[in-house]
Amino acid sequence: MSNSIYCSPTHLKFVSGDADAKTVKVRKFAELLLPAGGMINGIITDEDVMTRFFAGVNNDYELAKEPTLLVINNNSIQAKSLEVPPVSDDMVLNFISREYSQYGEGGNDNNVYDYTILSPSGPSGGTQILAVGVARDLLEVYRKTLVNAGFDLKRIDIGLNCQIKLARFLPQLQQGSIVLVFIDERSLALTLFENGNYVVANRYRLTHASDDPELVDEIGGNISSMIQFNKTQKDSAAITAAYIAGASEAQVSAMQLSLTYLGIEIRSLDMSDRITLQDAAATTEGLYFDAGGYLLNLGNLLKK
């Protein structure tokens, strides 16, 4: 069992469980309000405040016994799909550093670079990768804070890669060209997949609150922009559906009624046949496990 931890702009979310190729077994979960002044938009601003907070969570939910997997998701993370030649890991990392430096996006000692393979066969015969650059200080503060709070931190992943792993895990995200719509409080992520393969992702800051009727039109406008972008891409298949995660049933119903002009199906991302609740998660009274709200935590538990 592992602990998957994610800090949204306002809450700590954790899921403790196991995952294999077909199922995620959730054994514990919680969503807890972050302490005032501890974080801003996923970045730790006060180590002492957050260390005390994490230590309290660790103690209350007995998380120290299992390895912890952290997922971070904010606008300071650099990520893009690149095709690289078949070379060593060190050369790939050098290639990523030069790529970001070329466009003034990185390429200095203050960044940490890594990658994951999207496809062993790119369009030009190389390897298609997701190239990632993250500020070293951002990672170090997270690592120091969690370790000092007693967590056994084993891995740090990014939100986009967690979505990519979910696309390989969920059959509905592997059927033609679809958009995964993830609503994370006032943040919106749109990720385009074609037959389960990552194409592109965009993040937006939502200007309307969850109870504002205009939120549906705002989300619809951003989905429309991705549809128009897809139409301009050579040999791309038309988008047929958008799967919504992190929204209530009422919000999804409102989107289905209001966004018919998009010409695609609007569906809630149903993961119920791939998730089982066990132990404390199955017996927690008065708590409903909203898989869409824990989207990144679940993707973080997947091996690949």
Side-chain angles (χ1 to χ4, degrees):
M1 187 168 75
S2 299
N3 307 310
S4 175
I5 289 182
Y6 165 59
C7 290
S8 78
T10 59
H11 288 79
L12 164 69
K13 300 180 182 184
F14 81 80
V15 171
S16 297
D18 307 287
D20 56 30
K22 294 184 178 180
T23 307
V24 177
K25 299 175 182 178
V26 176
R27 303 185 187 277
K28 286 187 284 189
F29 67 92
E31 180 176 357
L32 307 166
L33 188 66
L34 291 172
M39 300 187 71
I40 297 177
N41 296 326
I43 298 174
I44 294 175
T45 55
D46 192 317
E47 293 182 43
D48 292 336
V49 169
M50 291 307 299
T51 298
R52 289 193 296 271
F53 171 72
F54 283 132
V57 174
N58 194 355
N59 181 68
D60 292 345
Y61 293 91
E62 300 179 345
L63 303 180
K65 299 177 182 178
E66 308 295 341
T68 291
L69 316 175
L70 172 69
V71 54
I72 56 176
N73 189 51
N74 59 58
N75 290 329
S76 66
I77 298 170
Q78 303 159 334
K80 65 173 67 174
S81 177
L82 299 174
E83 186 175 3
V84 296
V87 295
S88 68
D89 285 349
D90 287 344
M91 293 186 68
V92 171
L93 294 176
N94 287 334
F95 182 88
I96 294 170
S97 176
R98 291 197 303 269
E99 176 70 16
Y100 282 126
S101 179
Q102 176 182 355
Y103 298 103
E105 298 172 332
N108 58 62
D109 293 337
N110 293 324
N111 285 352
V112 174
Y113 298 102
D114 203 352
Y115 70 96
T116 187
I117 294 176
L118 297 175
S119 172
S121 301
S124 301
T127 301
Q128 200 72 27
I129 65 170
L130 181 70
V132 178
V134 184
R136 189 180 304 275
D137 291 347
L138 173 67
L139 299 179
E140 179 56 25
V141 170
Y142 262 112
R143 186 202 65 79
K144 181 180 176 183
T145 302
L146 286 169
V147 169
N148 287 345
F151 286 89
D152 181 18
L153 183 61
K154 293 297 187 183
R155 188 181 73 206
I156 301 178
D157 207 339
I158 66 168
L160 177 57
N161 192 45
C162 292
Q163 295 178 63
I164 290 171
K165 289 190 290 185
L166 278 169
R168 297 168 178 163
F169 178 72
L170 298 172
Q172 60 267 49
L173 300 184
Q174 301 167 13
Q175 301 171 4
S177 291
I178 63 91
V179 179
L180 174 59
V181 180
F182 177 42
I183 303 168
D184 187 18
E185 299 169 14
R186 299 295 283 268
S187 175
L188 173 69
L190 303 183
T191 309
L192 176 61
F193 295 98
E194 186 169 347
N195 299 322
N197 298 312
Y198 169 71
V199 179
V200 69
N202 289 321
R203 285 169 56 90
Y204 306 90
R205 174 69 176 172
L206 293 171
T207 59
H208 296 95
S210 60
D211 58 352
D212 190 333
E214 294 184 17
L215 176 66
V216 170
D217 291 333
E218 183 179 8
I219 293 172
N222 289 321
I223 296 174
S224 178
S225 295
M226 181 159 279
I227 292 172
Q228 298 307 314
F229 164 81
N230 186 62
K231 289 179 179 179
T232 67
Q233 303 305 296
K234 183 180 179 181
D235 300 327
S236 62
I239 294 173
T240 58
Y243 287 90
I244 315 297
S248 66
E249 292 183 9
Q251 287 174 321
V252 174
S253 296
M255 292 182 205
Q256 291 171 333
L257 289 172
S258 300
L259 303 183
T260 55
Y261 70 90
L262 294 175
I264 65 174
E265 292 189 66
I266 305 293
R267 306 172 183 170
S268 178
L269 182 64
D270 184 3
M271 295 180 274
S272 58
D273 62 339
R274 291 296 182 111
I275 296 173
T276 60
L277 303 182
Q278 300 182 343
D279 301 340
T283 59
T284 302
E285 296 183 3
L287 287 180
Y288 165 70
F289 182 71
D290 176 15
Y294 291 90
L295 185 80
L296 301 186
N297 299 86
L298 296 171
N300 193 31
L301 285 173
L302 300 174
K303 303 300 187 294
K304 58 181 181 178

